[in-house]
Amino acid sequence: MKKFLIAPSILSADFFRLGQEIQSVLDAGADMIHFDVMDGFYVPNLTFGPLVLHALRKNNITATIDVHLMANPSDKLIMDFIYSGADYITLHVDSTNHLDQKISLIKDNGCKAGIAFNPATSIFCLDYIIEKIDLILLMSVNPGLGGQKFINSILKKIVLVNKIIKKFNKRILLQIDGGINLKNIQDIALAGADTFVIGSSIFNSCNYVNIISEFRKKLNLI
């Protein structure tokens, strides 16, 4: 049976109680934490940086943390997140002119590398870098804001990327981010995704155990 991973996006968490919120979703059965980094340039919003991740690690958050850089990724920013305890660092393919170089920097420093595609971004570059990466993130909303509606045309993109991953016979997570809920998660999984970034649907619920359990039930039917 295919293993599905649930990755709550802390963009939708209560920032005042961030550490407690993260521990609560992990206790409720989340597999990893999705750490959305926005720099105010690549996307208009500004969120959190490496010091927040460092504080979480210092306070015994040991789960896998997947850092999603919605940012123009300088070498220093990448290294700061690696030193702060990131497990994965994911870059947007259109955020840098030196994507291969940045992926190598991540991998050479012991971290797993991912690449992200916005809804209208072509996947043409995959053939040239797929041997180096560990995760492919397909945005199913436009980046920068939580709570957006899932863009249904992304289902076709998931199918295409899943075929490419299978062709290369490489273990790569196929992650989807944006607008995932109980009504559409099965369709997303059937298209080929295995990792689900879920923000509002989890953090806006009154019971994290129940909502994550409901997502698991939907996935277990596949």
Side-chain angles (χ1 to χ4, degrees):
M1 182 181 291
K2 190 171 187 178
K3 183 176 181 181
F4 296 113
L5 303 176
I6 292 176
S9 167
I10 60 173
L11 185 62
S12 298
D14 180 350
F15 289 0
F16 183 70
R17 303 184 303 115
L18 186 57
Q20 182 182 337
E21 288 269 79
I22 291 172
Q23 192 59 61
S24 294
V25 293
L26 291 171
D27 291 344
D31 298 292
M32 58 198 297
I33 296 298
H34 191 77
F35 197 93
D36 284 305
V37 177
M38 303 180 188
D39 65 354
F41 295 97
Y42 180 72
V43 292
N45 283 341
L46 184 67
T47 56
F48 15 68
L51 288 177
V52 176
L53 177 55
H54 178 73
L56 295 172
R57 290 302 196 201
K58 189 176 178 181
N59 286 276
N60 299 317
I61 299 295
T62 59
T64 299
I65 293 183
D66 144 39
V67 173
H68 174 196
L69 292 183
M70 286 174 272
N72 297 113
S74 68
D75 289 1
K76 183 179 185 304
L77 183 65
I78 290 169
M79 292 306 300
D80 284 349
F81 272 107
I82 291 173
Y83 292 145
S84 296
D87 295 290
Y88 288 83
I89 294 180
T90 298
L91 311 174
H92 279 258
V93 297
D94 56 356
S95 68
T96 175
N97 292 326
H98 306 288
L99 183 61
D100 183 80
Q101 180 190 60
K102 296 291 190 283
I103 291 169
S104 294
L105 178 67
I106 294 167
K107 300 286 286 186
D108 290 347
N109 285 278
C111 197
K112 293 182 178 179
I115 57 169
F117 296 90
N118 288 329
T121 303
S122 170
I123 58 173
F124 75 93
C125 70
L126 272 178
D127 282 348
Y128 305 100
I129 55 176
I130 197 165
E131 295 291 350
K132 288 188 173 184
I133 59 175
D134 305 285
L135 181 151
I136 297 169
L137 167 57
L138 300 182
M139 295 297 298
S140 45
V141 297
N142 290 298
L145 292 171
Q148 298 182 66
K149 185 178 178 182
F150 183 86
I151 299 172
N152 285 318
S153 61
I154 301 303
L155 291 172
K156 293 184 289 185
K157 203 172 190 179
I158 297 170
V159 171
L160 287 173
V161 173
N162 188 44
K163 287 180 179 178
I164 293 170
I165 291 172
K166 287 181 176 178
K167 182 179 79 171
F168 279 87
N169 194 28
K170 189 174 186 293
R171 173 58 177 160
I172 297 173
L173 297 181
L174 179 46
Q175 185 180 81
I176 312 302
D177 182 356
I180 298 175
N181 55 46
L182 290 171
K183 292 181 180 179
N184 61 23
I185 194 168
Q186 285 183 319
D187 289 337
I188 297 167
L190 286 168
D194 55 34
T195 307
F196 307 88
V197 176
I198 307 173
S200 301
S201 292
I202 290 177
F203 286 107
N204 290 350
S205 69
C206 58
N207 189 309
Y208 297 161
V209 173
N210 286 351
I211 188 65
I212 290 176
S213 176
E214 288 301 313
F215 278 115
R216 294 275 184 220
K217 287 177 185 177
K218 294 284 186 180
L219 294 170
N220 286 340
L221 294 174
I222 295 171

